Amino acid sequence: MTRRLVKISIIFSLLIWFGFGLNAQDISIELGPDKIALNEAFTITVKVEGETLKSYDKFPEISGLVKRGTSSSSSTNIFNGQVTRSQSITQTYVPEKEGVITIPAFNITVNGKEISSAGKRLEVGPAKQQNRNRRYDPFGSDPFEDFFGRRDEPEEFVNLKEDAFFALTTDKDEIYVGEGVNTTLAFYVSNENRAPLQFHDLTNQLSDILRKVRPNNVWEENFNIENITAEPVNIGGKRYSVYKIFQATFFPLGEQDIEFPKVGLEMIKYQVAKSRSFFGQNRKETFKTFYSKPKTVKVKPLPDHPLKDQVSVGNYKLSEDINSTDLNTGESFQYEFDVRGTGNISGINEPKVNKQKELEIYSPNVSENITRSRVSVKGSKAFRYYMIPKEPGEYDLSEYFQFIFFNTATKEYDTLKSDYKIKVSGESMANVNIEQASSDGLFYDRINETSNELESHETTEIWKWVFNIFLIVAFSLSLFILLKKS
């Protein structure tokens, strides 16, 4: 009997947890009781399970009820390795007088989803007597206040000074045209901060901020921050948690300075109850906008050079590969010229190719790989060439392929050249071309021997009729033989 009860208990527990699992990622609106006293509160709660409460609309204005602040709560459950989180935000209302209040149907947009409530009918009765010996009423009193002497005055909240700031930072204050500057927008909170702060409506806010921040005439490599997490940082000997909301590297395409304007980020800031209680409302939601400081990054022109307006800019090295260095004339081979390093990988130009008749070089296949990490954009751009040697001999590929760029590490122009040399054996393909040209010439030579007089096509037309009649007779005869046999 005992084992059976244990099995039933386990099954019942599993069913309960399974029921919780079905509600994952669920958003709901919960209304308070149907009846309250004049000195009790009515609540509307938005509850989010399985995801983070990121944004929500204002709670409705209700005739006969007055708003009295909000409170929030969160919980985390772990069962069999599965983590279930829930958050809620509660709006408190107090009645103005006794009577019946109709709470109409309303909608609240939560995390971008519109959630509906059908409303209800609320009865407000006479005020209840304050009994110090009665049990705890979740909507009326705090048992600790009853024990120590209940206060009838409204709760007072204090505004704590926050130790936090919003900032736009760059890794350089001065760059060359084409050189990258890593830019970060982040919210910094000191480890000594005591004012409760929270992000809200970040998606819409970030869209507006980036419209102002993104400079013109630049190439952007976005780091695509998806999860905002706290990272420890030390600023002037003081420890902070930094929350990055945007990061990108900008490569200026012209000599105009990059101007970043002042932008604001609105945060939820909670006021804290002056007299904190265990069951009462201990904080009140307010809003505060934090502003970044404007910043200018100076853009310098590149030093004088004949290819100043054409070269790539960055810190690059050459990685190359070839499938063979011993070849025969007319035998194709593949050569890869791979530029690797830090810079605007997408903007890397094709190497300068010196095309000569003894080495036939075809247009390259191009592939690129870009990695965005920490504060830099790294990667490679590979150019794969197919070539056919036409003449025997030795060839130094450094004379055929060169990549000229401005090196941001040395502040000078630099050239990447191939280290490969190939040896070609066999006969010259120039003789083959001459023979082809000679055979083609025989055709053209016959032009002078051929008559250029017009000939009549009547004979040709007669033979066409004879051939068509022959086909019709042959087809008819074949059809007759097949029908006769069947």
Side-chain angles (χ1 to χ4, degrees):
M1 185 67 179
T2 304
R3 290 182 179 177
R4 186 177 179 184
L5 288 174
V6 171
K7 289 181 179 179
I8 293 173
S9 299
I10 293 172
I11 293 171
F12 182 70
S13 300
L14 290 173
L15 288 174
I16 292 175
W17 282 104
F18 179 72
F20 284 137
L22 292 177
N23 291 327
Q25 297 185 351
D26 184 39
I27 303 175
S28 60
I29 298 177
E30 298 178 1
L31 303 182
D34 297 334
K35 297 181 180 180
I36 61 172
L38 185 60
N39 58 347
E40 291 179 332
F42 177 78
T43 58
I44 297 178
T45 300
V46 171
K47 190 174 184 180
V48 177
E49 296 184 357
E51 60 179 301
T52 303
L53 179 59
K54 302 174 183 175
S55 63
Y56 61 92
D57 283 346
K58 292 182 179 179
F59 285 85
E61 301 291 339
I62 303 173
S63 179
L65 296 177
V66 178
K67 288 182 178 180
R68 281 291 184 269
T70 60
S71 61
S72 62
S73 64
S74 62
S75 64
T76 302
N77 296 315
I78 302 176
F79 180 73
N80 286 342
Q82 298 295 321
V83 180
T84 303
R85 295 182 176 88
S86 65
Q87 286 182 276
S88 64
I89 187 79
T90 299
Q91 175 67 59
T92 302
Y93 298 83
V94 294
E96 294 181 308
K97 59 182 179 179
E98 297 179 31
V100 177
I101 297 175
T102 300
I103 300 174
F106 62 91
N107 297 326
I108 296 180
T109 301
V110 182
N111 290 356
K113 303 173 186 176
E114 192 171 82
I115 311 300
S116 301
S117 174
K120 68 187 305 180
R121 183 175 180 271
L122 174 64
E123 294 183 13
V124 181
K128 287 185 177 180
Q129 293 292 328
Q130 304 298 333
N131 185 353
R132 296 186 182 183
N133 296 322
R134 63 182 175 86
R135 294 175 61 84
Y136 167 60
D137 180 348
F139 298 102
S141 64
D142 185 330
F144 291 92
E145 289 182 348
D146 288 344
F147 185 80
F148 291 105
R150 178 168 174 81
R151 304 185 309 271
D152 292 328
E153 66 272 10
E155 188 68 74
E156 292 186 32
F157 295 90
V158 294
N159 188 24
L160 298 178
K161 176 64 177 176
E162 71 284 344
D163 192 354
F165 62 93
F166 181 49
L168 182 147
T169 58
T170 60
D171 64 333
K172 302 166 190 167
D173 295 327
E174 189 176 76
I175 57 175
Y176 286 98
V177 174
E179 182 180 3
V181 56
N182 189 267
T183 306
T184 304
L185 270 171
F187 191 73
Y188 297 77
V189 182
S190 166
N191 289 5
E192 301 173 4
N193 177 66
R194 294 294 176 265
L197 297 166
Q198 182 179 318
F199 289 105
H200 84 100
D201 196 20
L202 193 55
T203 301
N204 291 330
Q205 286 200 77
L206 189 56
S207 296
D208 293 336
I209 289 171
L210 295 186
R211 274 196 291 268
K212 301 173 183 176
V213 165
R214 279 192 170 111
N216 297 321
N217 198 31
V218 298
W219 178 270
E220 176 184 326
E221 288 290 347
N222 196 322
F223 282 55
N224 295 317
I225 296 175
E226 296 180 354
N227 298 316
I228 299 177
T229 56
E231 299 177 15
V233 65
N234 192 305
I235 302 176
K238 191 173 181 179
R239 298 186 63 81
Y240 286 83
S241 292
V242 56
Y243 298 85
K244 293 182 182 179
I245 64 173
F246 173 77
Q247 184 177 2
T249 296
F250 296 113
F251 298 90
L253 304 178
E255 296 180 9
Q256 300 87 355
D257 292 345
I258 299 177
E259 303 281 352
F260 295 108
K262 169 184 174 182
V263 289
L265 176 67
E266 186 179 62
M267 299 284 292
I268 296 176
K269 179 183 177 182
Y270 293 97
Q271 294 180 344
V272 179
K274 190 173 182 180
S275 301
R276 298 176 64 84
S277 61
F278 187 77
F279 291 96
Q281 181 182 347
N282 289 321
R283 61 183 188 175
K284 179 182 179 182
E285 181 184 282
T286 61
F287 295 91
K288 178 168 182 177
T289 302
F290 294 81
Y291 291 95
S292 66
K293 294 180 180 179
K295 186 175 181 61
T296 299
V297 176
K298 182 175 178 56
V299 178
K300 302 182 295 184
L302 294 176
D304 290 336
H305 188 276
L307 301 176
K308 167 182 173 180
D309 298 326
Q310 302 174 31
V311 299
S312 301
V313 178
N315 186 9
Y316 301 121
K317 293 182 179 180
L318 174 61
S319 174
E320 53 180 345
D321 189 25
I322 194 169
N323 61 349
S324 179
T325 56
D326 292 319
L327 303 156
N328 293 318
T329 54
E331 179 184 356
S332 67
F333 68 99
Q334 181 177 325
Y335 170 65
E336 181 175 301
F337 192 99
D338 193 353
V339 181
R340 296 173 174 266
T342 303
N344 184 4
I345 305 301
S346 298
I348 290 177
N349 300 320
E350 182 182 344
K352 182 182 178 182
V353 180
N354 181 22
K355 293 186 177 181
Q356 299 291 336
K357 61 181 181 180
E358 67 268 14
L359 193 61
E360 188 172 356
I361 303 173
Y362 294 90
S363 297
N365 295 322
V366 183
S367 63
E368 67 180 29
N369 179 43
I370 301 175
T371 302
R372 306 166 192 87
S373 63
R374 299 186 65 82
V375 295
S376 63
V377 177
K378 301 179 179 179
S380 64
K381 196 164 188 175
F383 301 88
R384 296 179 182 88
Y385 295 89
Y386 286 91
M387 295 182 281
I388 299 177
K390 299 287 188 176
E391 299 290 336
E394 293 187 359
Y395 297 91
D396 187 347
L397 293 188
S398 65
E399 298 176 1
Y400 292 84
F401 299 93
Q402 295 183 355
F403 179 76
I404 302 172
F405 69 103
F406 181 77
N407 194 325
T408 53
T410 62
K411 312 300 182 186
E412 295 177 350
Y413 290 94
D414 202 348
T415 303
L416 301 180
K417 297 180 180 181
S418 175
D419 289 330
Y420 280 114
K421 295 181 180 180
I422 62 173
K423 184 178 180 180
V424 180
S425 305
E427 296 183 2
S428 171
M429 293 190 68
N431 297 329
V432 176
N433 294 335
I434 291 173
E435 291 176 1
Q436 290 178 349
S438 299
S439 62
D440 291 340
L442 292 174
F443 171 79
Y444 291 105
D445 290 342
R446 292 175 185 173
I447 293 177
N448 296 328
E449 302 174 4
T450 305
S451 174
N452 59 357
E453 294 181 3
L454 296 176
E455 294 183 358
S456 173
H457 290 280
E458 290 182 1
T459 304
T460 305
E461 293 295 328
I462 292 172
W463 280 107
K464 284 184 178 179
W465 279 103
V466 172
F467 183 71
N468 289 334
I469 292 171
F470 173 76
L471 287 178
I472 293 172
V473 172
F475 178 74
S476 301
L477 184 60
S478 301
L479 184 61
F480 173 76
I481 293 172
L482 289 172
L483 292 174
K484 189 176 180 180
K485 286 184 177 181
S486 62

